[in-house]
Structure formats: C-alpha cells, structure tokens
Amino acid sequence: SPLVPNFWRAMIDNDRGSHVDKDSKSWREASLKRELLDVSHQINDDHVQIMASFEVPTTSRSIVNVRYTIHATGKIDVHYKLLPGKDLPNIPEIGMRFEMDASYENLEWYGKGPHETYWDRQKSGKIAIHEGKVQDQLEPYLKPQESGNKVGVRWLNVKDQDGNGLRISGSPTIEVNAIPYTPFELEEATHHHLLAKSNKVSIRVNGWQMGVGGDDSWGQKTHPEYRLFANQSYEYAFSIQFL
C-alpha cells in the first residue's frame, strides 16, 4: 500500500488508564482519512520532486506536507511536516504507515534492540545490528496492543527469504515498527487468538511516538517530556530504497 500519514498507535493498557484513547481520539480519525489539497512536481536532471499537501480531520484543521525526492537510482527521500490545528490534544505518534506482503518476514536493523524500545523505555536496548522475524515483534500482552517498536534506528531492512526487499533509513534516526497488523486491527481484538491470520507486514516509520508511561495503569499520564504536544509543528525525514 502507499505511504499515508499516521498519528495513532494501538492503545496500550496505560493509555486506556490515562484516557489517551478518549482524549486523543481526534488523531485516530486523522490517521484513517485525509483530503489532498495540492500536489505539484519538479523535474530535474537526476531526480524528480513531488510535493503533496493534505488536510487531516482533527477537530481543528491540521495540515501534513510531504515532499518525495525520487532519484534516478530508485531511492526515495521523504520529508514530512505536520502543522497541527489549534487547541488539539496530545498526539500518540507522528509518522507514516504502509504495508508490504507477508513474504517480507525478515527484519534487520541498526538501532536499539533486540527487544522493543520506546522513548521512555530504551535504556536496556543496545545499539547494534539486530535481526528478527516480523511475527516475533508482536508481544503477547493479555490484550493485543502496541508493541515491537524500535528507537534510534539508523536503518531497517525488510526482506524476503531471497534477500529482496526495502531499506528504510533515518536522517539521522527514526522510530520503526514492523508487525503483521495495523494499529486499528490490533484494537479490534480482545485476545490474540481472535486476530485473523495476517497476509501483510504493517510498517510505521515515525519521527516520534509518545512514551508508554507506566507509573501505574489507572490514571497516571506519560511524563510530559515524553509526550507530543500539538502546540508546535513537527518535521522529520527518511529514505526508502530497494535492496
């Protein structure tokens, strides 16, 4: 599937306890719908630039500007900027989402790991080149929810058994998540055995994802320094190329 702006993670127990699911629900809708406002392109000798501007349906108008620079080599540089509307709630995550076929089941990344890491849960992660399977990144929490995130990622390879696939590189670093389900599919299931067999890899390439908190699961919010407030703009960049 194509790259689309995304602002939502599958709510975790701590999110539900601190009412992120209710307070920030405007950003869930913004992840599923968008309106293209403008698109233009510029042709150069060795690359083409495509500029797209979207309005996303938050309670007050938010704008996402994406610039794709497509090189003659096939490499695509992506520059992303979010301009939140006025008086909006905290943003669960800021990035883009797309899907690949399930045959691209092998992961290799240069960043923190080998286990999942988050903005406020990463000190135990070691920066190295790690490997894993897509299906192993979804942690068996009692209720299906956000899991498998990687922070401080310089690059991530998503490959099939023949080594073909994509490399996603940060400028300089990104957060990535590659699991068999979208955040919205995870939220629909009350238990893991109720998740339908997946035929895809759902990949989220984020500039940021809010912290997971955890002082308790019945009201305490994620610490302010690990939240994404909607009173400022956000921009980040990454690239995609064939392996």
Side-chain angles (χ1 to χ4, degrees):
S1 70
L3 287 156
V4 295
N6 187 70
F7 313 97
W8 196 253
R9 69 181 184 198
M11 292 287 98
I12 65 173
D13 295 334
N14 296 341
D15 291 335
R16 289 187 290 270
S18 60
H19 308 297
V20 175
D21 55 337
K22 296 180 176 65
D23 295 342
S24 295
K25 65 180 180 180
S26 178
W27 291 108
R28 189 182 197 277
E29 182 75 4
S31 302
L32 296 170
K33 298 178 182 178
R34 69 207 63 85
E35 179 184 351
L36 179 64
L37 299 177
D38 183 69
V39 63
S40 61
H41 72 278
Q42 179 178 328
I43 300 175
N44 299 282
D45 290 340
D46 60 351
H47 68 274
V48 174
Q49 280 195 338
I50 299 174
M51 287 72 72
S53 180
F54 301 91
E55 179 179 340
V56 295
T58 43
T59 48
S60 62
R61 185 173 182 258
S62 295
I63 301 296
V64 177
N65 295 319
V66 185
R67 183 179 70 242
Y68 303 94
T69 303
I70 305 170
H71 299 273
T73 60
K75 179 184 178 184
I76 302 174
D77 296 328
V78 182
H79 181 271
Y80 171 110
K81 185 172 185 177
L82 169 65
L83 301 166
K86 290 184 178 180
D87 302 320
L88 290 175
N90 292 177
I91 312 167
E93 70 178 46
I94 297 169
M96 302 195 82
R97 175 175 59 87
F98 69 100
E99 297 171 1
M100 295 176 66
D101 187 81
S103 60
Y104 297 96
E105 61 180 355
N106 300 301
L107 301 178
E108 182 182 28
W109 72 95
Y110 179 23
K112 289 199 171 183
H115 49 269
E116 63 180 12
T117 50
Y118 289 85
W119 195 1
D120 56 353
R121 293 294 171 88
Q122 59 173 290
K123 287 188 176 180
S124 63
K126 296 185 181 300
I127 298 176
I129 295 176
H130 303 282
E131 296 181 352
K133 295 285 188 181
V134 168
Q135 62 266 26
D136 295 335
Q137 308 311 308
L138 182 61
E139 297 291 340
Y141 296 118
L142 184 61
K143 179 179 172 59
Q145 56 192 276
E146 162 64 31
S147 63
N149 198 64
K150 323 289 183 215
V151 303
V153 174
R154 281 70 170 169
W155 51 258
L156 166 76
N157 293 337
V158 188
K159 303 180 291 184
D160 64 14
Q161 62 180 2
D162 298 320
N164 300 312
L166 295 178
R167 169 170 285 200
I168 304 164
S169 303
S171 296
T173 63
I174 46 177
E175 295 191 31
V176 292
N177 187 301
I179 58 177
Y181 302 97
T182 68
F184 317 102
E185 290 170 331
L186 290 176
E187 287 187 330
E188 290 174 359
T190 55
H191 294 83
H192 280 262
H193 72 275
L194 297 176
L195 288 167
K197 182 175 174 57
S198 174
N199 62 354
K200 64 179 176 297
V201 182
S202 177
I203 299 176
R204 286 145 54 212
V205 185
N206 290 327
W208 305 266
Q209 182 181 155
M210 66 176 284
V212 295
D215 289 5
D216 63 45
S217 290
W218 49 90
Q220 290 297 320
K221 295 184 180 295
T222 299
H223 291 195
E225 61 267 32
Y226 301 115
R227 281 186 252 158
L228 297 168
F229 296 98
N231 59 356
Q232 65 181 76
S233 63
Y234 294 89
E235 57 185 303
Y236 79 110
F238 62 96
S239 65
I240 300 176
Q241 60 193 109
F242 292 110
L243 292 172

